[in-house]
Amino acid sequence: MKKYALVGTGGRAGLYISAIGGQWKENARLVAFCDTNQTRMNYANTLLEKEGAAPVSTWKAQQFEEMIRETRPDIVIVTTMDRTHDDYIVRALHAGCDVITEKPMTIDEKRALRILDAIEETGRQVRVAFNYRYAPHHSKVRELLMNGTIGEVYSVHFEWLLNTEHGADYFRRWHREKRNSGGLLVHKSTHHFDLMNFWLASTPARVYAEGGLRFYGRENAERRGVTQFYPRAHGYPQAKDDPFALQMAENPQLKALYLDAEHEDSYFRDQSVFSDGITIEDTMSVLVKYQNDVQLTYSLNTYLPWEGLNVVFNGSKGRLEMKIVEKSYVNAGGERANEGSLETCDITVFPMFAAPWKADFTLGEGGHGGGDNAMLADLFGEVKHDPLQRAADHRAGAMSILTGIAGNLSMQQQRPVHFNEFALASRLT
C-alpha cells in the first residue's frame, strides 16, 4: 500500500480525498495534509472521516519538508494554486517522493524547466492528472483516429464553451489574476491542448493567438449600462439578486472551505466578476500548426448560455464530429458526482462516400462521463496495460501548457510564436 500526502486542500482536493479514503483505501492511504490554512485542512479531515477513514496530521506550508520526513509518503499530490505547483513538485522530488499534480503542471516556461531539472536530478516521476483523457468519449475519438477511421487528419476546429455559472467562476477567485493561473489559455485550455496532442499524436510547431477581456470586469459592465457594483457577494445587499454573485453562505461546502476560513488568510472566494483587478482574458482564439501539418482553429469563451464543446476533424477519408453539452457546476469541494457530467454527447463519423454513422461508447458513473473514476483507477488501482496510453507524464504536462504559454506570448507581442523559440520545447523532443 502506497502512502500519500496532499498539499493544497481547496476545492480540487476533494476528488483525491474521497478516492483514497473510499474506493481505493485498500491500495492507498493518506498520511498528511499540508496547506497555508488550518481551517481548510480541518475541513479536509472531515471529508476523510465521512469516507470512514481516520483523520491525518496537518502541516502548514512552511513545514512541508518536515511533514515528508515525519510521515514518509511515497507520493505527494499537489492541488495548490497553479503558480505554486512547481515549488511543491520540486521540493517533493528532492525529498525522495514521486508526484501527482493537478493540471496545469505549472504556468510558465521557467517553472516548467525547474520541474524538468528536478526530475533529471532525482530520477523521480511526475504524473499530471488529465482526467479528460480518460472520459469514454474522448478515449473513443483517440481510438477512431488511431484506427484511421477518417484517414489522415488535415484540420481540426475545436470550440469550448464555458457558461455563466462555471465560466464566471474563474473571474471570482484567484484564477482572475494571470500571475496566479497563467490565464485561461494555460489553466483551462491545458486540458484541450493536451487532448489535441493526445488525439493527433503530435505536438505544435507554431501558434498565433488573439484574446481580450470583453465581458467580465468593471469597464465592460459599465459599457453595458451597469451602475451598481460591489467588491464581493457576501455581506453586500447589491449582490442578492445578481445571477453572477456566488452566495457562499448558502452552500455548506463553500462556507466550510472558504467563508469560514477567511479569518486566516483574507482570501475572498466570491469576488465580483465585474470588479477591477481581473488580468486574464475571457475571449480567446488560437490558430495552431502541428508538427504533422495538421491545422487547428480553437476558441474559448467564458460567458455563454450553455457549457460544452464542438470539435470536428477533417481527414482524407471523411469527417468526425463530436458535440458535448455538460451540466454546469461550481467547484465547491464537496460531492463531485455532477462535476462535468454530461447532458448530451454524440460522436458522428461522416465517411467520404458512405452514410454517416454514430460511434458507440459507454459512459461511466461520476464526473466527466466516468473520466474522473477511470483516471483515479489508473492512479490508485492495479497497473494495467492501456492501448490508448492515457497516463500523462511531465512531458505531456509541459507540452500542453507550452501551447498556452506560446498563445499568451503571441497575444502580448501580436505575432506568430514558433515552438523552437522555447528552450522547453528542445528539452521535450
Side-chain angles (χ1 to χ4, degrees):
M1 177 183 291
K2 289 189 176 180
K3 298 190 298 182
Y4 294 80
L6 187 146
V7 54
T9 54
R12 193 62 184 166
L15 179 73
Y16 301 97
I17 294 170
S18 61
I20 297 174
Q23 182 177 1
W24 300 107
K25 62 185 176 184
E26 302 300 323
N27 297 52
R29 180 165 67 93
L30 274 168
V31 295
F33 292 130
C34 181
D35 201 299
T36 58
N37 191 294
Q38 186 64 49
T39 302
R40 275 196 286 277
M41 288 192 285
N42 294 343
Y43 179 67
N45 263 324
T46 67
L47 295 179
L48 192 57
E49 291 179 282
K50 285 180 181 178
E51 298 293 338
V56 300
S57 60
T58 60
W59 306 76
K60 286 295 188 73
Q62 63 269 24
Q63 299 174 299
F64 182 73
E65 280 81 9
E66 182 184 354
M67 173 195 73
I68 292 176
R69 287 194 304 269
E70 293 295 322
T71 63
R72 301 179 65 83
D74 301 295
I75 299 174
V76 172
I77 301 172
V78 178
T79 55
T80 60
M81 185 185 298
D82 295 352
R83 68 172 167 84
T84 65
H85 283 187
D86 69 300
D87 183 50
Y88 290 110
I89 291 170
V90 169
R91 290 162 68 186
L93 295 173
H94 282 293
C97 302
D98 291 329
V99 173
I100 297 169
T101 182
E102 261 301 315
K103 61 83 196 169
M105 186 177 77
T106 186
I107 64 169
D108 59 32
E109 183 187 24
K110 181 179 179 181
R111 288 174 166 90
L113 288 170
R114 282 193 68 216
I115 294 171
L116 265 61
D117 288 343
I119 291 171
E120 292 177 2
E121 292 163 4
T122 64
R124 309 305 303 188
Q125 295 183 342
V126 174
R127 287 278 300 270
V128 183
F130 281 127
N131 53 348
Y132 278 30
R133 286 185 175 211
Y134 294 84
H137 41 293
H138 295 326
S139 296
K140 187 65 178 182
V141 170
R142 163 87 158 170
E143 177 188 324
L144 291 169
L145 295 177
M146 285 176 65
N147 293 339
T149 305
I150 60 168
E152 182 181 358
V153 177
Y154 296 145
S155 67
V156 185
H157 176 67
F158 188 174
E159 61 170 340
W160 199 281
L161 300 83
L162 291 168
N163 69 6
T164 50
E165 183 175 8
H166 183 202
D169 206 38
Y170 295 107
F171 298 84
R172 300 182 183 116
R173 45 190 171 138
W174 55 260
H175 307 73
R176 73 205 312 258
E177 295 184 55
K178 189 170 278 194
R179 70 182 185 90
N180 290 331
S181 64
L184 291 178
L185 282 186
V186 172
H187 174 82
K188 181 63 179 175
S189 299
T190 185
H191 267 317
H192 314 147
F193 297 142
D194 176 68
L195 281 175
M196 288 306 308
N197 296 341
F198 174 65
W199 283 331
L200 298 176
S202 186
T203 54
R206 185 169 62 250
V207 175
Y208 181 79
E210 293 281 358
L213 185 66
R214 302 297 306 278
F215 182 78
Y216 299 108
R218 180 161 183 147
E219 290 184 16
N220 291 322
E222 287 174 341
R223 277 195 291 270
R224 292 192 298 272
V226 175
T227 58
Q228 269 201 330
F229 294 92
Y230 54 89
R232 60 173 302 192
H234 185 69
Y236 283 84
Q238 305 98 302
K240 183 179 179 182
D241 297 320
D242 184 357
F244 287 95
L246 184 66
Q247 307 296 347
M248 292 194 295
E250 299 174 5
N251 183 300
Q253 288 82 28
L254 288 171
K255 181 177 182 298
L257 265 178
Y258 301 109
L259 192 59
D260 294 346
E262 288 178 358
H263 66 281
E264 289 194 48
D265 55 18
S266 299
Y267 171 57
F268 301 135
R269 173 68 174 77
D270 62 344
Q271 295 176 78
S272 169
V273 300
F274 301 118
S275 59
D276 290 323
I278 297 173
T279 57
I280 63 172
E281 298 81 15
D282 58 21
T283 306
M284 291 143 280
S285 300
V286 185
L287 180 64
V288 184
K289 183 70 173 291
Y290 284 81
Q291 299 285 353
N292 60 0
D293 288 331
V294 174
Q295 302 170 36
L296 166 69
T297 56
Y298 168 84
S299 66
L300 177 65
N301 296 278
T302 62
Y303 41 80
L304 298 179
W306 60 274
E307 175 130 345
L309 69 88
N310 290 306
V311 60
V312 299
F313 299 81
N314 300 306
S316 60
K317 296 181 180 179
R319 176 179 171 98
L320 185 155
E321 298 183 357
M322 178 166 63
K323 178 172 183 176
I324 296 171
V325 178
E326 292 190 351
K327 294 181 181 177
S328 188
Y329 67 95
V330 170
N331 189 346
E335 174 58 48
R336 316 196 68 84
N338 290 326
E339 182 173 308
S341 57
L342 309 181
E343 293 183 1
T344 301
C345 184
D346 289 305
I347 300 175
T348 307
V349 176
F350 296 84
M352 192 168 285
F353 299 110
W357 51 274
K358 298 282 188 182
D360 292 326
F361 55 93
T362 302
L363 297 177
E365 294 183 359
H368 299 97
D372 286 356
N373 287 338
M375 180 191 72
L376 294 169
D378 194 24
L379 289 173
F380 304 121
E382 300 299 325
V383 177
K384 296 180 181 179
H385 173 66
D386 181 4
L388 298 180
Q389 299 178 315
R390 290 172 293 183
D393 63 7
H394 65 279
R395 294 177 185 84
M399 190 56 74
S400 69
I401 63 169
L402 193 51
T403 309
I405 291 168
N408 281 333
L409 183 61
S410 177
M411 287 190 293
Q412 179 185 351
Q413 298 185 355
Q414 297 186 314
R415 67 174 180 89
V417 173
H418 295 259
F419 264 44
N420 60 16
E421 299 178 36
F422 297 99
L424 181 60
S426 63
R427 293 278 295 273
L428 298 172
T429 56

